Amino acid sequence: MAKKLDAKINKYFNEDIDIYNPVILKEWVEKLENENPQTVEELEEFINKIDSLNLKINDIVADIYIKMTCHTDEKKHEEDYNTFQKNITSYYAPKDFNFKSIILNSPALNEWIKENGETAELFHKILKNDHDMFREKNVKLEIKESEIAIAYTSTIGGTTIHFNDLELTIPQIDAFMKDPNREVREKAWRAKNDKMIEHKSKLNDIFDNLYSVRVKMAKNAGFDNYRDYMHKLKGRFSYTVEDVYNFHSSVESEMLPLILKINEKRKEKLNVDKLRPWDMGVDLDGRVLRPVETPKDLIPKTISILNSTDELFGDNFSSMNETNLLDLFNRKNKAPGGYSYPLHKYGASFIFMNAVGLHSDLGTILHEAGHAMHEFAQADHKYTSFLSLPMEAAELASMSMEMITMDNWNICYTDNSDFEKAKYTQIEESLKFFPWCMTIDSFQHRIYTDANNSELREKVFLDTMSRFSDSIGVDWEGLEKEKKIKWLNQLHIFEIPFYYIEYGIAQLGALSVYRAYKKDSKKAIENYKNFLNTGHKAPLGSLYKAAGIELKFTKDYIKELIDFIAKDLGY
């Protein structure tokens, strides 16, 4: 039964922290720094205290970030965010290092690990990696990086484009890519890209500043390049950089041929000589899928879909709605994109997105709901600030939710032909995501190892686009200016670098979940819930195993999966 979520009372630290004058935080920290856990019981208590304080601080920055992205025109939220970075992050980061040192140096640590098994072993591995990677001189650089990245969010979030006598946000003009009139699509596509070309110099300056800061951080930590630094910093224990390169190659050899066939079919059905970038989003039957009559219908329809999949999912989402943890609809002065931000005080998430009434809104809200269900499932787990969800697992939760709910999308699409089309589109679009995923990841690998200015970046991006996109049947002739700035639209490159291959790994996993669902839907959902409930109590490979699939992206594995998808799509 859905009900408003109550904020949890922090067992150890219940007073509010004033980010402008964090006296109480400093008092707490000083007491903790003087602790010296000697027994297993004392160590357990100390870890629980640090975990509680970490989660409290995480919730403070979550609240600020949510307000800042929901209202990009209100500069106070940006000021609060910068103040948090200066007064809290800069102070607490070295203290957090000290707390980890206390844990690692405790004489009771080995016994504590022995008593707590696999989860404690993973805890120790992550903690030691974080401890080893910490450099105090990087704290100010991380704050500076965050401040610079805000300029990207503000620029894109505040952008409007004059089109057909309207002032449109970027998500609103993107909706015209669905227009059956090719001239309208082209005009909208060019209007958006003209605006991005206007921003090109500013966005390149922003990235140059980010690049400089990031390279310094890597050097400070003893790494030759930022790519290797981030691989280690992210704790990617389950795969290597070479594995990622092999993933790129496997997608190139095993997926691109099928995607080319799909696009050739698109060209034929559209009856055009060449597929152009503005031809890739339009519905082939000329009918735009609209899951709801108005965007605000999205919430009750989503609740019904989740409830039909599993009652717990529907109840959880309803509770988020009752607690005002949803901001779903596009408007001016709202940041781009979508996210599900964990709120530990509720054991849930805040979902942010930019719905405009298209089919993609349904996929987005279910995707973010998958993240939220992960937070509900691990709400009572211990040590969650230390054992934060690996992104490859977090994205498996979100992408798999899209897959396992598809049979209930007839709640939105009462016309059977629309229902079947929506499901077909979901699988097709999941497959067609891979070339762009590999483009963005490969691009970042290259620019952080051998391209250090805007001119070289453009060359590298064009090379990477050529590798993964030029062979799938899309013609960019005469659009070189637009092609070489396409990466500027990808906020991850600016705000969360090297967070993209996780989407590819997880999407591969989600397609595997879909294959399992087609064989036995009930068992697949049980496995999915088991995976959610496992949280991060085990290594990544074990988490995928809990979902009933493998953490694998070899050429043979991808070929086997693509053969299944090709048959499912009728190729």
Side-chain angles (χ1 to χ4, degrees), residues 455-511:
E455 188 176 338
L456 283 172
R457 278 199 300 273
E458 286 185 351
K459 182 180 183 303
V460 167
F461 185 70
L462 287 173
D463 287 347
T464 311
M465 278 282 284
S466 176
R467 179 183 178 189
F468 293 107
S469 296
D470 287 0
S471 60
I472 58 173
V474 183
D475 191 311
W476 284 80
E477 184 180 358
L479 303 172
E480 286 74 18
K481 279 193 309 181
E482 293 85 355
K483 185 177 183 181
K484 65 187 179 184
I485 65 159
K486 195 172 189 295
W487 68 275
L488 295 175
N489 292 285
Q490 194 62 61
L491 67 86
H492 297 72
I493 294 172
F494 289 84
E495 297 183 5
I496 36 179
F498 282 102
Y499 177 19
Y500 216 68
I501 195 63
E502 292 91 340
Y503 289 116
I505 293 169
Q507 187 68 81
L508 203 66
L511 289 171

Side-chain angles (χ1 to χ4, degrees), residues 24 56 88 104 113 133 138 147 184 287 508 564:
I24 189 67
K56 186 177 186 72
I88 307 297
L104 290 169
I113 293 171
M133 291 296 290
N138 276 351
E147 290 172 350
V184 171
R287 294 186 355 266
L508 203 66
F564 164 77

Side-chain angles (χ1 to χ4, degrees), residues 54 91 110 126 161 177 188 360 559 567:
N54 290 344
Y91 168 75
N110 288 338
I126 293 170
I161 300 162
M177 292 301 99
S360 58
K559 184 181 185 308
K567 184 178 179 181

Side-chain angles (χ1 to χ4, degrees), residues 112-125 383 537:
W112 180 84
I113 293 171
K114 185 178 178 181
E115 286 189 12
N116 288 278
E118 183 182 40
T119 300
E121 290 175 5
L122 180 62
F123 173 100
H124 179 247
K125 189 174 187 177
Y383 326 129
K537 291 182 178 180

Side-chain angles (χ1 to χ4, degrees), residues 118-395:
E118 183 182 40
T119 300
E121 290 175 5
L122 180 62
F123 173 100
H124 179 247
K125 189 174 187 177
I126 293 170
L127 190 76
K128 189 173 187 312
N129 185 68
D130 290 347
H131 183 272
D132 291 347
M133 291 296 290
F134 178 79
R135 300 293 184 276
E136 188 163 358
K137 53 189 171 182
N138 276 351
V139 175
K140 287 185 178 179
L141 291 175
E142 288 168 0
I143 293 169
K144 185 177 180 181
E145 178 192 26
S146 179
E147 290 172 350
I148 296 168
I150 289 172
Y152 176 84
T153 304
S154 299
T155 300
I156 300 300
T159 293
T160 58
I161 300 162
H162 188 74
F163 182 75
N164 285 358
D165 298 323
L166 299 170
E167 284 296 321
L168 303 175
T169 63
I170 288 176
Q172 286 170 340
I173 202 163
D174 282 342
F176 282 90
M177 292 301 99
K178 291 286 187 182
D179 197 293
N181 187 318
R182 198 183 194 202
E183 290 182 3
V184 171
R185 297 198 304 273
E186 179 178 355
K187 184 180 175 183
W189 187 90
R190 289 185 182 275
K192 175 186 174 180
N193 278 276
D194 286 347
K195 180 62 71 172
M196 292 304 294
I197 289 170
E198 283 181 30
H199 288 327
K200 175 185 171 182
S201 179
K202 180 180 181 179
L203 296 180
N204 266 310
D205 287 345
I206 291 170
F207 188 80
D208 283 337
N209 291 331
L210 288 169
Y211 188 96
S212 175
V213 169
R214 289 165 181 171
V215 168
K216 285 178 186 175
M217 288 194 288
K219 297 292 184 186
N220 287 344
F223 287 81
D224 293 334
N225 61 71
Y226 183 70
R227 188 273 313 276
D228 292 344
Y229 167 74
M230 285 301 287
H231 191 89
K232 176 75 170 170
L233 186 69
K234 283 179 168 290
R236 290 175 172 172
F237 307 125
S238 300
Y239 55 93
T240 66
V241 169
E242 191 61 35
D243 289 331
V244 174
Y245 283 151
N246 289 335
F247 189 16
H248 296 168
S249 297
S250 297
V251 167
E252 186 178 14
S253 64
E254 303 306 319
M255 289 194 184
L256 298 192
L258 177 57
I259 295 170
L260 176 61
K261 288 181 182 179
I262 291 171
N263 286 340
E264 285 175 343
K265 179 181 177 182
R266 169 171 286 271
K267 183 176 74 170
E268 181 183 330
K269 288 208 168 188
L270 289 175
N271 193 27
V272 295
D273 294 332
K274 297 177 181 179
L275 270 184
R276 303 290 265 167
W278 49 83
D279 294 324
M280 303 312 295
V282 64
D283 293 80
L284 296 178
D285 57 8
R287 294 186 355 266
V288 177
L289 283 173
R290 296 193 181 276
V292 290
E293 290 185 15
T294 68
K296 292 190 177 181
D297 293 332
L298 198 57
I299 293 174
K301 295 283 189 181
T302 300
I303 291 170
S304 294
I305 289 171
L306 291 171
N307 192 60
S308 297
T309 304
D310 189 278
E311 287 185 12
L312 180 62
F313 299 158
D315 285 347
N316 286 345
F317 196 86
S318 295
S319 294
M320 291 171 65
N321 187 40
E322 292 293 321
T323 317
N324 296 318
L325 298 182
L326 306 174
D327 187 337
L328 307 181
F329 313 114
N330 177 249
R331 60 179 181 272
K332 187 179 177 182
N333 296 316
K334 185 176 179 181
Y339 61 74
S340 177
Y341 207 126
L343 291 171
H344 305 285
K345 61 187 173 185
Y346 293 119
S349 288
F350 181 92
I351 293 182
F352 171 100
M353 57 181 281
N354 280 278
V356 290
L358 295 177
H359 172 67
S360 58
D361 297 338
L362 181 60
T364 299
I365 197 168
L366 292 169
H367 178 102
E368 303 304 347
H371 284 307
M373 296 311 122
H374 223 162
E375 294 303 324
F376 276 100
Q378 65 160 3
D380 295 324
H381 287 196
K382 297 168 72 174
Y383 326 129
T384 50
S385 73
F386 296 100
L387 295 171
S388 58
L389 292 166
M391 292 302 101
E392 301 88 347
E395 296 302 337

